[in-house]
Amino acid sequence: MHESSTLITAPTTPMIWHGWGDPTRRPGLSPRAEALLAQEIGPLDRHTPPVPLEEVRVGPSALSDDDRRALEAIVGPDRVLDDHLTRVRHAGGKSYPDLFRRRQGDAVAAPDAVVLPGSHEEVAAVLAVAAERGVAVVPFGGGTSVVGGVEPERGGFDSLIALDLARMDRLVTLDEESLLATFEPGIRGPEAEAELRRRGYSLGHFPQSYAYASIGGYVATRSAGQASTGHGRIDQLVHAVRVATPIGELSAGVSPATAAGPDLRQVVVGSEGLLGVITEATLRIHHAPEVEVYEAHAVRSFTEGAAILRELVQAGVAPDVCRLSDVDETRTFVQQTEGVKGTALRGYLSLRGYGEGCLLILGWDGSRASVALGRAAAARVLRGHETLRLGTRPGDAWAHGRFDGPYLRDELMDRGVMVETLETATTWSAIPRLYGAVRRALHDALGDRGTPPLVLCHISHVYPSGCSLYYTWIARQDQGDELAQWRAAKAAASEAILAAGGTITHHHAVGTDHRPYMTAEVGDVGVSLLRALKDAVDPTGILNPGKLVP
C-alpha cells in the first residue's frame, strides 16, 4: 500500500527527436528478457542507431516571407521558428513509421515553420491568417500520437505550419465546490496532475504517454488512461470545451447534463484537430487519493482471467485498474521484472502449477476506507475462481514501470527490431474470436515474410458489455523493406479486427493509420456527417489535412 503516488514527475527535457522522452531514463532490457526475445525472434545482434541530427533531411521552407510576417505579427517574431531541430521534432509523432523515417534521416515533409501561440485569441488569429492565405495547420500538443495524428500532411496546400500549444500551459480555474478544473491545452499530464495534487485533487487520467501527452491531446484523441475503469475515459471527464475554428469560437458545455440537442462537446472530443483547436478544457476531477494499492494474481488462462474481469465489472466492483496479460505477455513481464523490487515470480509460478498462467493486476486508489471496501468486494468475486494470489510486489513492479514501454521500444529499434502496438475493443461474447483473429493475422503476415513475431496482448479497460484488447508485436526488421513489413502487419491486423467485430481503435485515435478503415467503422452516412461538420467549420480545409475523415 502506497501513501505516496507512484506517478512520475513532469520531465524537464523535451523528447528526443528520434525516440521517446529522456534517453537517460531508459530502463534497458534485463538479461532474462533479452534471452527470451532472442529465443522467440532470433539474436538481437544488429546495431541500427539513428543517424546524427545533422544528417536528417528536411525540405526547404515553403512559407512565404509575407505569410511569415503575418504570423509574426500575431505571436511575435521569436515564436515563429524554422530552425532545423524544431522542424525535425515536429515532423511527426511517435508511431513506428514516424520514428523509423526520422531515424533513417527522412524528415523531408517537416512543417515549414512552427508557430507558438500564447492565448485563445492568438490561436484564432493564426487560423484566420492561415485560412485566408491557404496555409495548412497541424495542431501539436505533446507530439505523442502513435497513429500519424500529427503527420505534416499538406492536403494540397503549398505550405504548412505546426501550431505548437506548449505556451498555453495553465490551470485556468478550479471550481472546488463543483469538482471542475479548466486547463489550457498545452499543459502536460504530470504538470496538470501536480497542479491538482497541490490543492488536494486529481484528474486520475494516466495513459502510457502520460509523461509528455497534453490535456488538449487527451481530449482531441478521446484518450483512455490506465485507471479509466475506475475514473473514466477522457470523454467521460469533459465538462466543457472552448475551441477556436477558422469561422469563429465554439464553446460547448455549461451544466452537468442537458437535453438541448446533440452534445457538441462529444463532437469536439476525438475530432483530432480537424474541426478546430481546443484552447480550454474543463474536466471533472476528484479528491486526491490517500493510498494506492496494486496487487497481482495468477490465473490459469486468458479466458478465465477475462471471466473474472467481466464478473467484477458487471457486479459493479471493478477496481480502478484492471489489467490481464495473456501467456506471452506474462512470460515477458516476468522475465523483465525478475529480481526487480523483490519479485521472483518465475520459479514460484512454476512451482505452484501456474507456469503457463496469466498475470492479473488489480489496482485501487482513494481513501483508506474506500480502498479497503473495494479490495474486499473484489476478493469475494475472486474467491469464486481458481487464482493464485501473488501479493503487491508484482503489482508494484508494474506500477513503477508502467510508463517505460516506449523506452524499451527505442532500445529494440537500436538493435534492428520492429516494435509496434495496436488496440481494439469488442463485447465480452466476441472477445475469444477477436483475440485469436488478430494474433493469427500478425503471425501470418510477419511469418510469411520470414520474420515470425512475438505477439503479446492484454486487457486494460473493462466495461459491463465488453473490454479492450491491447497488442504489442515484436519482430526482427526486414532489412531494406522495413516500412512494407510494417504496412503488411498493420493491414492484416486491421482487417482481422473489423472482420471479427472489433473497433478499429479503442483509444489511440484514427490519424492517418486508421483513416482507411473509417468507412467500415461508421458507414457511408457517418462519413458524410463527418465531412459536413468539417466543411461547416473549416471551409478551406486547412486544419490537420489527411486525418480521420476518408
Side-chain angles (χ1 to χ4, degrees):
M1 181 176 293
H2 301 277
E3 295 189 4
S4 60
S5 173
T6 59
L7 297 175
I8 56 177
T9 57
T12 57
T13 58
M15 279 199 288
I16 53 174
W17 58 269
H18 55 78
W20 181 260
D22 178 356
T24 64
R25 296 185 65 162
R26 271 200 202 183
L29 281 175
S30 73
R32 291 184 185 276
E34 183 169 340
L36 172 65
L37 287 175
Q39 178 183 335
E40 294 285 345
I41 67 172
L44 308 184
D45 53 2
R46 292 179 57 202
H47 182 57
T48 53
V51 302
L53 175 63
E54 58 269 20
E55 294 182 17
V56 180
R57 305 179 304 280
V58 299
S61 176
L63 193 69
S64 72
D65 291 342
D66 282 347
D67 291 345
R68 183 185 183 95
R69 282 192 290 270
L71 294 168
E72 288 177 344
I74 298 167
V75 300
D78 57 341
R79 288 167 181 148
V80 180
L81 308 177
D82 60 3
D83 62 278
H84 184 72
L85 176 57
T86 299
R87 292 181 69 198
V88 169
R89 278 183 171 152
H90 291 79
K94 299 298 181 179
S95 71
Y96 176 82
D98 288 336
L99 293 178
F100 181 81
R101 284 191 291 264
R102 291 203 292 277
R103 291 166 64 93
Q104 294 290 304
D106 180 5
V108 173
D112 298 306
V114 177
V115 178
L116 291 95
S119 66
H120 171 91
E121 290 73 23
E122 288 186 358
V123 171
V126 168
L127 294 186
V129 165
E132 179 186 353
R133 295 170 176 265
V135 178
V137 178
V138 176
F140 198 97
T144 61
S145 172
V146 293
V147 292
V150 291
E151 283 291 297
E153 296 272 351
R154 294 176 183 255
F157 295 97
D158 292 334
S159 55
L160 176 145
I161 60 171
L163 193 68
D164 191 320
L165 302 166
R167 290 179 59 216
M168 300 175 65
D169 61 353
R170 295 182 304 130
L171 170 61
V172 180
T173 61
L174 178 65
D175 182 344
E176 297 186 74
E177 190 171 0
S178 305
L179 289 178
L180 295 172
T182 299
F183 294 99
E184 289 184 317
I187 189 169
R188 291 181 173 175
E191 295 160 343
E193 190 68 20
E195 289 280 3
L196 293 173
R197 293 288 177 110
R198 281 195 288 271
R199 296 163 172 84
Y201 301 99
S202 173
L203 179 61
H205 193 78
F206 311 120
Q208 192 173 65
S209 58
Y210 171 72
Y212 287 91
S214 66
I215 291 292
Y218 289 173
V219 177
T221 59
R222 201 174 285 271
S223 170
Q226 294 163 346
S228 288
T229 295
H231 297 303
R233 294 164 51 97
I234 202 68
D235 46 300
Q236 297 170 286
L237 301 179
V238 172
H239 174 80
V241 288
R242 187 185 188 193
V243 184
T245 83
I247 64 167
E249 178 179 331
L250 169 65
S251 292
V254 176
S255 59
T258 177
D263 189 345
L264 294 181
R265 292 172 300 182
Q266 295 303 322
V267 173
V268 174
V269 176
S271 59
E272 302 188 28
L274 268 74
L275 305 180
V277 178
I278 297 163
T279 58
E280 288 184 3
T282 301
L283 306 176
R284 298 180 178 96
I285 59 175
H286 56 272
H287 293 285
E290 295 176 359
V291 294
E292 298 177 7
V293 179
Y294 301 96
E295 63 182 38
H297 302 259
V299 296
R300 295 287 186 189
S301 68
F302 196 64
T303 300
E304 175 66 11
I308 292 171
L309 291 179
R310 177 173 57 83
E311 188 172 340
L312 285 168
V313 70
Q314 290 179 349
V317 295
D320 300 312
V321 173
C322 295
R323 185 183 178 99
L324 171 69
S325 295
D326 72 358
V327 172
D328 288 327
E329 186 171 281
T330 297
R331 284 192 299 120
T332 305
F333 173 84
V334 168
Q335 296 286 28
Q336 177 67 5
T337 59
E338 188 79 7
V340 176
K341 294 189 180 296
T343 59
L345 282 176
R346 191 163 57 102
Y348 182 67
L349 290 174
S350 296
L351 181 67
R352 297 296 300 270
Y354 285 80
E356 293 299 315
C358 296
L359 186 67
L360 175 65
I361 292 176
L362 305 176
W364 297 262
D365 67 66
S367 67
R368 290 179 176 276
S370 69
V371 168
L373 286 171
R375 295 180 76 186
R380 288 192 289 273
V381 172
L382 289 166
R383 281 196 292 270
H385 298 265
E386 186 180 1
T387 69
L388 177 64
R389 191 175 186 281
L390 301 173
T392 58
R393 282 183 174 175
D396 290 345
W398 171 81
H400 284 281
R402 58 178 159 160
F403 303 114
D404 290 344
Y407 288 108
L408 293 173
R409 179 185 60 179
D410 291 351
E411 174 88 9
L412 290 169
M413 289 186 76
D414 281 350
R415 303 173 77 171
V417 176
M418 174 175 68
V419 185
E420 182 60 302
T421 62
L422 62 84
E423 33 67 65
T424 181
T426 192
T427 58
W428 290 111
S429 58
I431 283 293
R433 181 164 63 108
L434 178 61
Y435 169 73
V438 177
R439 282 181 56 85
R440 286 190 297 274
L442 289 169
H443 278 284
D444 291 348
L446 292 165
D448 287 349
R449 300 179 66 90
T451 53
L454 174 62
V455 179
L456 318 175
C457 183
H458 65 257
I459 293 171
S460 55
H461 303 82
V462 300
Y463 310 91
S465 59
C467 68
S468 66
L469 292 176
Y470 189 104
Y471 293 86
T472 302
W473 78 82
I474 305 170
R476 288 173 66 87
Q477 288 177 338
D478 189 351
Q479 284 185 271
D481 211 13
E482 292 91 346
L483 291 180
Q485 176 193 31
W486 175 84
R487 284 191 291 268
K490 181 69 174 180
S494 298
E495 290 161 9
I497 284 171
L498 294 174
T503 178
I504 197 61
T505 176
H506 172 263
H507 59 267
H508 280 172
V510 178
T512 57
D513 293 356
H514 297 142
R515 182 177 176 234
Y517 306 99
M518 276 298 286
T519 301
E521 178 83 17
V522 303
D524 291 332
V525 173
V527 169
S528 295
L529 282 171
L530 291 173
R531 286 179 181 154
L533 285 168
K534 172 74 168 170
D535 291 343
V537 296
D538 182 22
T540 57
I542 60 167
L543 282 169
N544 215 9
K547 320 302 190 310
L548 183 62
V549 183

